[in-house]
């Protein structure tokens, strides 16, 4: 099953992807996680990517498309995947169409997690991400048992550099300007599943499960 997750920053794309991969037995491909790994490594691509991420802007399409193209060619994607945070522009969506065509596959579901901006700032300022396994806790909505320590793997929790209020506002603008038009782009195909992302994590998970039938 090939799925893409679309939603504003903090909508719960990563949270839901992590719940879906166990059930569907396919990998989560988060371009954000991939670029954060490149930043951590200090590679030239990571250094360049950080400039865009810190501004709440998108990394240039050619760089992102190259990274995703390579990732989708790996063996673990044969049974399907959940793309978390890609595509984010019309050019990325068109490039993905080309990749799918060349692989002889197609998208099964475009899951759009809708959450109004008002909810998102508190979700993101309260998020604490694990350095080890990338799990996302929240200080109020999903607090770790021990402060600063990931429940899943015992790794150290940190606050993402782009989870500062100014940058969050920029990321929201970027989403509304460049990414939300993708919903219209995919609406011609019968694959768009609109999900109310304002409920609890379990409610959102149940809504996605019902919408994709798995
Ligand atoms: P990326 O890492 O993808 O960030 P994002 O899209 O801004 O989304 P987030 O990861 O912040 O939010 P999420 O929807 O995953 O929410 P989460 O589940 O964590 O991208 C970062 C940057 O990389 C971009 O700004 C860009 O620069 C670059 N980039 C990445 N992909 C790119 C691309 N394709 N093209 C160009 N540039 C790209 O949840 C948030 C918090 O809320 C958590 O603490 C969680 O516990 C909590 N929460 C989740 N669900 C609920 C709920 N239902 N109720 C209460 N709390 C909840
Ligand atoms: Mg995420």
């Amino acid at each position: 099953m090939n799925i893409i997750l679309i939603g504003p920053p903090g909508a719960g794309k990563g949270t839901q992807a992590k719940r879906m991969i166990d059930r569907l037995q396919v990998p989560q491909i988060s371009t954000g996680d991939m670029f954060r790994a490149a930043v951590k490594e200090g590679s030239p691509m990571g250094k360049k990517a950080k400039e865009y991420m810190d501004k709440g802007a998108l990394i240039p399409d050619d760089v992102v498309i190259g990274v995703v193209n390579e990732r989708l060619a790996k063996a673990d994607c044969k049974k399907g995947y959940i793309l978390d945070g890609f595509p984010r522009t019309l050019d990325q969506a068109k490039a993905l169409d080309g990749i799918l065509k060349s692989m002889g596959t197609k998208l099964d579901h475009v899951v759009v997690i809708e959450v109004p901006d008002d909810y998102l700032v508190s979700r993101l300022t309260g998020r604490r991400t694990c350095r080890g396994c990338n799990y996302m806790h929240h200080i109020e909505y999903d607090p770790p048992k021990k402060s600063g320590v990931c429940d899943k793997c015992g790794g150290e929790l940190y606050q993402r550099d782009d989870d500062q209020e100014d940058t969050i506002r920029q990321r929201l603008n970027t989403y509304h300007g460049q990414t939300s038009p993708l919903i219209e782009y995919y609406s011609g195909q019968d694959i768009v599943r609109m999900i109310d992302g304002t409920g609890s994590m379990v409610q959102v998970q149940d809504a996605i499960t019902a919408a994709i039938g798995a």
Side-chain angles (χ1 to χ4, degrees):
M1 204 184 269
N2 301 329
I3 298 173
I4 66 179
L5 294 180
I6 295 179
K13 301 181 294 295
T15 300
Q16 296 302 330
K18 287 194 185 338
R19 289 166 182 239
M20 290 160 81
I21 54 174
D22 294 336
R23 217 170 49 244
L24 301 176
Q25 294 291 304
V26 296
Q28 170 197 10
I29 300 177
S30 158
T31 41
D33 285 351
M34 289 161 86
F35 287 116
R36 277 184 291 279
V39 171
K40 198 168 150 189
E41 276 167 20
S43 68
M45 184 186 72
K47 285 189 181 133
K48 197 79 209 147
K50 189 167 174 22
E51 289 175 24
Y52 293 95
M53 295 166 90
D54 285 350
K55 282 191 291 203
L58 295 181
I59 294 161
D61 285 336
D62 55 337
V63 177
V64 185
I65 291 164
V67 165
V68 172
N69 201 1
E70 243 177 62
R71 180 68 187 83
L72 292 182
K74 298 219 159 116
D76 65 338
C77 293
K78 288 231 157 54
K79 281 196 199 156
Y81 40 78
I82 298 170
L83 278 169
D84 160 6
F86 180 92
R88 265 179 148 98
T89 64
L90 287 172
D91 282 346
Q92 290 181 18
K94 288 176 190 160
L96 178 62
D97 285 345
I99 296 171
L100 289 163
K101 202 168 169 198
S102 72
M103 291 177 150
T105 56
K106 60 178 182 52
L107 287 176
D108 297 290
H109 304 283
V110 173
V111 174
V112 181
I113 307 179
E114 292 186 291
V115 181
D117 287 6
D118 299 350
Y119 284 68
L120 299 170
V121 176
S122 73
R123 281 203 191 171
L124 291 173
T125 50
R127 172 166 60 188
R128 298 294 182 270
T129 304
C130 177
R131 284 196 200 281
C133 69
N134 289 323
Y135 182 80
M136 290 82 51
H137 277 284
H138 190 281
I139 50 174
E140 195 179 332
Y141 310 129
D142 182 14
K145 291 194 183 79
K146 189 172 168 207
S147 172
V149 180
C150 175
D151 283 1
K152 302 281 170 196
C153 77
E156 183 199 351
L157 298 178
Y158 77 105
Q159 197 166 7
R160 270 170 48 177
D161 288 345
D162 59 350
D163 279 348
Q164 307 298 327
E165 195 160 340
D166 287 355
T167 320
I168 293 169
R169 302 256 175 229
Q170 275 312 316
R171 288 159 61 203
L172 288 169
N173 288 340
T174 302
Y175 174 78
H176 293 301
Q178 293 181 260
T179 305
S180 63
L182 292 184
I183 303 167
E184 174 69 23
Y185 177 80
Y186 287 113
S187 65
Q189 310 170 46
D190 185 25
I191 52 173
V192 177
R193 322 288 175 225
M194 301 301 288
I195 303 293
D196 175 2
T198 61
S200 69
M201 294 177 207
V202 172
Q203 284 170 331
V204 177
Q205 181 181 353
D206 289 347
I208 294 175
T209 306
I212 68 173

